[in-house]
Amino acid sequence: MITELQAYLKDEFGIDFNDPSLLAEAFTQASYVNEHPKEHLKFYERIEFLGDAVLQLFVSEYIYRRYPELPQGRLTRLRAAMVCEDSFSKFALECHFDQYIRLGHGEELAGARKRPSLLCDIFESFIGALYLDQGRPAVEKFIQRVIFPKLDQGWFDHAVDAKTSLQEFLQRNGDVEIEYHLLHEGGSENEPVFTVSVSANGKQIGEGTGSSKKHAEMAAAQVALQALRQIKK
Amino acid sequence: MITELQAYLKDEFGIDFNDPSLLAEAFTQASYVNEHPKEHLKFYERIEFLGDAVLQLFVSEYIYRRYPELPQGRLTRLRAAMVCEDSFSKFALECHFDQYIRLGHGEELAGARKRPSLLCDIFESFIGALYLDQGRPAVEKFIQRVIFPKLDQGWFDHAVDAKTSLQEFLQRNGDVEIEYHLLHEGGSENEPVFTVSVSANGKQIGEGTGSSKKHAEMAAAQVALQALRQIKK
C-alpha cells in the first residue's frame, strides 16, 4: 500500500519521497501496528504532532501576508477555520489519502477510513512526513495547491466576513472604490427589511437584503463575491 | 526607545535588524498607539499572531528530534509547558524586553510592563519580527540560546516525568543501563513509605522515597538528575 502511495504522490503531486519509511509511519494507525507486532512498525502520532505545527505556521504566515490589514482577532478566526478537523479531513479526501491508510481489521470494520478525525490526523501526519523528508519548499508547494485556493473558492468566508473578502478580492490588483447604498427600507417595525446594493468603481455588482443595514451589506457582498468568482472561473 | 533596543539586540545577541519598523511594531502596545494618533503606529498583535506559530513549530521540531522515543501525548505536554505564558514571560524578562515596551501612560501606571500576559505577547511578537526580518536561521539561533538550554536546566521537568528526563539525559551519548531497586518498604498500612534507589550501569546515582513504588522511583530519578546537572555545571 505504501509503494502504491509513493507512486501516486509522484504521479499526482510530483512528490518523490527519499525515505519511504516516513511515509509508512505517517499513514499507519496504531490498530495496524498492534495487529503486526513482528514488523516493529511506528504509527502516525508523533509525525502528526509535528505536521500540525507545520500547518499552523505556514497557514499563519500565508494569511498574515495576504491580508495585511486584517486585525489579529480576525486572523485568528480565519486560521481556526482553515486549520481544523473539518477542513483537513476534506483535504485528505480530496487528495485520496483515505485509500492509503493502514488500519487494523476492527477499525476498518468500524468505518475508521472515512472518519473525519482520522482523516484530519493523516493529513497532518502526511505534512509532517513531507516536511521531514523534503523540507519547507515542498510543503509550501503542496499547500499552495491543496489549501490556499480554497480561500478564493469561498471555503472560509464564514470566518472572514464577506465585506472584507470582497474588498480583498477586488483590491488585489490595485485600488477599487467599493460603496454600499441603501436602496429600500421595508417590512414592518418589528421585522424591518433593508435592501442594499454594492458597487465597485461606480458599477453595481451585487444586491442583498437583511434585517439590518449591516446584514444587508453582508448579503450584497456575498452575492457580489459569488458572481465575481463565477466570472473568474 | 526602539533605537536603544536595536543597539541592545546587536550588542547582546548579535541581531542587526534590517527593518526597524518591524521591531517598533513588535514592541508597541495598543495603548501607546492610541496616545500618539498622529504617528500612525502599528501595535504588536498581528506580529504576535505570527510569532506564536513560529515558536510553536520550532519548539515542536526541536523536541520531536531530541526525544525520538517520546510518544505524542508527552511531546504535547512538554510543548505546552514550553510554549506558554509562564515560560515566555520569564524569557522576556531574562532578555530585558520589559525595558523596551512602548506603553500608554495608563497602562504604565497600572503596572503593565511587568504583567506576564504582556511580557509573553512581546516575546512572541519579537520572534515574529525576527522571523520576518531575518528568516528562520536567526530565530533558531536565538531560541537555541534562550529557550532550549532550559530543558537541561530542568525548567520543564514537571511536563516530562523525571524518569524519562533521566533516561534522556544519560542516554544522549550512548546506551546506559538504568535500574531501579526497592531498598525499603516501611511506614504504616495506611501510609506506606517506599525507598528506591536508581543506578546507571550498576552505579547508584540517586535515592528517593514516596507513598508508592512509582512515586519513590520518580523522586530517585529527580535526585539523580539534580546531582548530574550539578556535575555538568
Side-chain angles (χ1 to χ4, degrees):
Chain A
M1 205 175 237
I2 299 304
T3 318
E4 284 85 356
L5 173 57
Q6 253 190 296
Y8 163 71
L9 289 172
K10 209 169 162 180
D11 268 10
E12 182 62 29
F13 298 99
I15 296 171
D16 194 0
F17 260 75
N18 299 309
D19 180 358
S21 77
L22 282 171
L23 204 52
E25 187 176 334
F27 278 78
T28 302
Q29 207 214 24
S31 63
Y32 185 90
V33 174
N34 295 336
E35 282 185 12
H36 301 77
K38 286 181 188 162
E39 294 180 37
H40 300 290
L41 299 168
K42 290 179 176 177
F43 52 95
Y44 69 73
E45 288 194 353
R46 275 177 47 90
I47 293 199
E48 179 223 336
F49 165 85
L50 184 64
D52 168 66
V54 171
L55 284 160
Q56 191 85 6
L57 174 57
F58 291 7
V59 168
S60 300
E61 191 171 347
Y62 182 79
I63 61 176
Y64 174 87
R65 293 184 192 275
R66 175 165 170 167
Y67 300 99
E69 303 301 328
L70 216 57
Q72 184 202 32
R74 291 209 183 160
L75 285 173
T76 302
R77 263 175 58 204
L78 177 56
R79 180 174 66 191
M82 296 174 76
V83 179
C84 68
E85 183 180 302
D86 185 52
S87 306
F88 286 177
S89 60
K90 285 174 185 158
F91 300 153
L93 277 179
E94 194 183 87
C95 296
H96 305 295
F97 286 171
D98 55 313
Q99 298 174 22
Y100 301 97
I101 307 169
R102 298 200 293 187
L103 285 174
H105 285 299
E107 279 289 275
E108 188 73 81
L109 291 173
R113 193 172 291 280
K114 299 285 181 191
R115 196 187 293 148
S117 60
L118 176 63
L119 290 167
C120 167
D121 286 353
I122 294 295
F123 188 77
E124 293 177 331
S125 62
F126 168 72
I127 294 291
L130 187 60
Y131 182 75
L132 288 170
D133 193 71
Q134 320 239 327
R136 176 176 181 123
V139 175
E140 281 182 334
K141 195 177 156 199
F142 179 81
I143 63 181
Q144 249 150 26
R145 169 166 162 187
V146 174
I147 302 183
F148 298 148
K150 269 70 175 181
L151 272 164
D152 282 330
Q153 292 163 24
W155 279 43
F156 314 113
D157 278 0
H158 56 288
V160 186
D161 71 68
K163 285 176 72 176
T164 306
S165 294
L166 179 63
Q167 190 181 351
E168 190 272 332
F169 191 97
L170 287 170
Q171 296 184 340
R172 204 166 324 154
N173 303 313
D175 213 27
V176 174
E177 194 186 8
I178 302 167
E179 285 176 310
Y180 292 86
H181 291 288
L182 182 63
L183 298 180
H184 187 253
E185 207 178 324
S188 64
E189 206 176 331
N190 285 328
E191 287 185 21
V193 177
F194 296 83
T195 307
V196 162
S197 70
V198 55
S199 65
N201 286 343
K203 191 186 160 223
Q204 183 171 324
I205 52 170
E207 210 178 290
T209 60
S211 58
S212 70
K213 232 180 104 180
K214 198 187 159 192
H215 283 151
E217 286 176 3
M218 291 287 202
Q222 191 60 49
V223 166
L225 259 179
Q226 275 165 3
L228 290 165
R229 280 174 183 148
Q230 279 302 323
I231 294 165
K232 216 187 154 195
K233 279 175 190 167
Chain B
M1 205 175 236
I2 300 302
T3 318
E4 285 84 354
L5 173 58
Q6 253 191 296
Y8 163 71
L9 288 172
K10 209 169 164 180
D11 268 10
E12 182 62 29
F13 298 99
I15 296 170
D16 195 0
F17 259 76
N18 299 310
D19 180 0
S21 77
L22 282 171
L23 204 51
E25 186 176 335
F27 278 78
T28 302
Q29 207 213 23
S31 62
Y32 185 90
V33 175
N34 296 336
E35 283 186 11
H36 300 77
K38 285 180 190 163
E39 295 180 37
H40 300 290
L41 299 168
K42 291 180 176 176
F43 52 95
Y44 69 74
E45 288 194 354
R46 274 177 47 90
I47 293 199
E48 179 223 335
F49 165 84
L50 184 64
D52 168 66
V54 171
L55 284 159
Q56 191 84 5
L57 174 57
F58 291 7
V59 168
S60 299
E61 191 172 348
Y62 182 79
I63 61 177
Y64 174 87
R65 293 183 194 276
R66 175 167 168 165
Y67 300 98
E69 302 302 328
L70 218 56
Q72 184 203 31
R74 292 210 183 158
L75 284 173
T76 302
R77 264 175 56 205
L78 177 55
R79 180 174 67 191
M82 297 174 76
V83 179
C84 69
E85 183 180 304
D86 185 53
S87 307
F88 287 176
S89 60
K90 285 174 185 159
F91 300 153
L93 277 179
E94 194 184 87
C95 296
H96 306 293
F97 285 171
D98 55 313
Q99 298 174 23
Y100 302 97
I101 307 170
R102 299 201 292 188
L103 285 173
H105 285 299
E107 279 289 276
E108 188 72 82
L109 291 173
R113 194 172 291 281
K114 299 285 180 191
R115 195 187 293 148
S117 60
L118 177 62
L119 291 167
C120 167
D121 286 354
I122 295 294
F123 188 77
E124 293 177 330
S125 61
F126 168 71
I127 293 291
L130 187 59
Y131 181 74
L132 289 171
D133 193 71
Q134 319 240 327
R136 178 178 180 122
V139 176
E140 280 181 336
K141 195 177 156 201
F142 180 81
I143 62 180
Q144 249 150 26
R145 169 165 162 188
V146 174
I147 303 183
F148 299 148
K150 269 70 174 181
L151 272 164
D152 282 330
Q153 291 163 26
W155 279 42
F156 313 113
D157 279 1
H158 56 289
V160 185
D161 71 69
K163 285 176 72 175
T164 305
S165 295
L166 179 63
Q167 189 182 352
E168 190 273 331
F169 191 96
L170 287 170
Q171 296 184 340
R172 204 166 326 153
N173 303 313
D175 214 27
V176 174
E177 194 187 7
I178 302 166
E179 284 177 312
Y180 292 87
H181 292 288
L182 182 64
L183 298 180
H184 188 252
E185 209 177 323
S188 63
E189 206 176 331
N190 285 329
E191 287 185 22
V193 177
F194 295 83
T195 307
V196 162
S197 71
V198 55
S199 65
N201 286 343
K203 190 184 161 225
Q204 184 171 324
I205 52 171
E207 209 178 290
T209 59
S211 57
S212 69
K213 233 180 102 179
K214 199 188 159 191
H215 285 151
E217 286 176 3
M218 291 286 201
Q222 192 59 49
V223 166
L225 259 179
Q226 275 166 3
L228 290 165
R229 280 175 183 147
Q230 280 302 324
I231 293 166
K232 215 186 155 194
K233 280 177 189 166

